[in-house]
Amino acid sequence: MDDFVSNYVNRLDSKGRVSIPAPYRQILAREGTEGLFCSPSMDRAAVDAGGHGLRKAIDEYLEPFDVFTEEREILATALLGESESLKIDKDGRVVLSEKIKAHTGITDSVVFVGHGYKFQIWQPEKYEAFKVEAAKEAIALRKSLSARRQALRQAGEGA
Amino acid sequence: MDDFVSNYVNRLDSKGRVSIPAPYRQILAREGTEGLFCSPSMDRAAVDAGGHGLRKAIDEYLEPFDVFTEEREILATALLGESESLKIDKDGRVVLSEKIKAHTGITDSVVFVGHGYKFQIWQPEKYEAFKVEAAKEAIALRKSLSARRQALRQAGEGA
DNA sequence: CATAATATCCCATGGTATCCCATTAAGGGT
DNA sequence: ACCCTTAATGGGATACCATGGGATATTATG
């Protein structure tokens, strides 16, 4: 049950390094990954990051699409072609590439957000904005989900 | 079938630590959890806490949503990204994060409220206020529920 | 091939979390 | 009523972590 949870804000130093939060490092170490796999989010100013768990999720996502098909090429380009593997130094730090900084708007501070099998990297202010939006939408989603379940139960009783 | 029941009030010490009630500790130990999983309630000044049981509930809630979808990202952010896993020390205590204290209004005292598979963490006065409100609503709910059951029974007899 | 530029290693430091032990209080059994 | 166990709490000592920066290795460039 080792999953990326919680969120942490760390600072970039003058050399552009940032510490991966210690709890995340331990998970990555247990996964046996060297290098932090980073894949820019398609629709947000965030980067998906992780180890084998994330790689596996991507592979399984691509799997149903036949190789050499248009869809496969497009998805592979977005999910793998634009990704990179950042080197983790002896002190558990990485240097963010220019591409990641441009995509996220990160300049001097990073927030790491746990998503279970992966985590995301954000510029703190952008994450704050997304978070309040996500909180609202999560409540709406929950309502519609429980309404649907309720309807299913009653249909079941009626039968 | 060990469930979190009853409620307990404990104090924070000068370092911000608070003892998890011993009966809860035993349940967590049997679940084989290390770390207390804490998830801020979406609509109340409370925090849901527990071990594997709670994590499992959240994972099952996320499971039907495909990875890399909008809904999944939103729910993962709200349910995992904003949660944390608090370390339980050798004496069965945790330190509440600033985020939890801010969300709940806790300053020097905590009440632990059993909810079966999980328990909640409240600031004592806020919990008292919520409790009387919940008691009223429970009566109203019971009425509407039993009316609904009655109707269903009669419909069944009629058929 | 030389030299600059960059990346990685290695060690130091301050702040905080965790360990470990002591004290106090509250049952439980005899 | 008394001992014995268990729980909650307090506090000093220790370990860990994020961060900074000098030293060394690696890569790029003229």
Side-chain angles (χ1 to χ4, degrees):
Chain A
M1 184 54 80
D2 293 312
D3 273 357
F4 300 103
V5 296
S6 187
N7 65 84
Y8 305 87
V9 179
N10 284 340
R11 298 180 51 76
L12 293 169
D13 67 16
S14 55
K15 298 179 186 173
R17 295 174 298 186
V18 62
S19 293
I20 299 171
Y24 290 7
R25 285 205 301 261
Q26 286 169 13
I27 296 169
L28 292 170
R30 253 184 299 253
E31 282 190 3
T33 349
E34 57 182 293
L36 180 66
F37 187 76
C38 292
S39 170
S41 161
M42 287 192 238
D43 36 31
R44 271 180 249 293
V47 169
D48 287 332
H52 284 141
L54 174 58
R55 277 306 308 273
K56 190 155 151 280
I58 291 176
D59 289 345
E60 285 171 3
Y61 189 77
L62 291 177
E63 208 259 337
F65 299 94
D66 277 339
V67 292
F68 300 128
T69 59
E70 184 75 9
E71 296 99 331
R72 173 75 174 231
E73 298 281 305
I74 287 173
L75 287 171
T77 302
L79 291 174
L80 296 175
E82 291 303 305
S83 300
E84 33 193 332
S85 177
L86 300 184
K87 173 141 199 170
I88 302 174
D89 74 17
K90 291 284 169 66
D91 296 325
R93 294 185 275 200
V94 292
V95 299
L96 302 181
S97 67
E98 282 311 314
K99 183 188 296 193
I100 290 176
K101 289 202 240 180
H103 183 72
T104 55
I106 289 169
T107 55
D108 65 342
S109 228
V110 187
V111 48
F112 300 80
V113 184
H115 278 206
Y117 67 99
K118 73 173 188 209
F119 60 91
Q120 286 190 332
I121 292 175
W122 287 79
Q123 193 260 12
E125 284 96 60
K126 292 204 170 139
Y127 174 63
E128 285 303 311
F130 173 66
K131 184 181 77 182
V132 293
E133 207 45 50
K136 282 185 208 145
E137 291 187 43
I139 289 174
L141 264 171
R142 187 181 57 175
K143 278 213 182 85
S144 76
L145 248 188
S146 74
R148 190 129 39 101
R149 293 232 177 92
Q150 182 84 9
L152 281 172
R153 257 196 302 277
Q154 292 187 347
E157 283 175 11
Chain B
M1 183 51 80
D2 294 310
D3 274 359
F4 299 104
V5 294
S6 185
N7 66 84
Y8 306 86
V9 179
N10 284 339
R11 296 180 53 74
L12 292 168
D13 67 16
S14 56
K15 296 181 185 172
R17 294 176 297 187
V18 62
S19 292
I20 299 171
Y24 290 6
R25 285 207 299 260
Q26 286 168 13
I27 296 170
L28 291 170
R30 250 187 302 258
E31 282 190 3
T33 345
E34 58 180 294
L36 180 67
F37 188 76
C38 292
S39 174
S41 161
M42 289 192 220
D43 36 32
R44 281 182 228 298
V47 169
D48 288 333
H52 282 142
L54 176 58
R55 263 317 297 277
K56 192 155 150 280
I58 289 176
D59 286 345
E60 284 172 4
Y61 195 81
L62 290 177
E63 209 258 335
F65 298 93
D66 272 343
V67 294
F68 302 121
T69 60
E70 181 90 11
E71 291 91 347
R72 173 72 173 238
E73 301 273 297
I74 286 168
L75 288 172
T77 300
L79 295 176
L80 296 177
E82 291 301 308
S83 299
E84 27 197 335
S85 178
L86 301 184
K87 174 136 202 170
I88 302 173
D89 73 17
K90 291 284 168 69
D91 298 323
R93 293 185 277 198
V94 292
V95 302
L96 301 182
S97 68
E98 282 311 314
K99 182 183 301 191
I100 289 177
K101 290 201 244 181
H103 183 73
T104 56
I106 288 169
T107 55
D108 64 344
S109 221
V110 186
V111 48
F112 300 81
V113 184
H115 277 225
Y117 71 101
K118 73 179 184 196
F119 60 91
Q120 286 190 331
I121 292 174
W122 287 80
Q123 193 259 14
E125 284 96 59
K126 292 211 167 128
Y127 174 61
E128 287 304 312
F130 170 71
K131 193 172 68 178
V132 297
E133 201 48 48
K136 282 184 205 146
E137 289 185 34
I139 290 172
L141 246 175
R142 187 179 55 181
K143 281 205 183 101
S144 80
L145 248 187
S146 70
R148 190 133 44 102
R149 290 233 177 87
Q150 185 80 13
L152 280 169
R153 258 196 302 277
Q154 291 182 350
E157 283 169 10

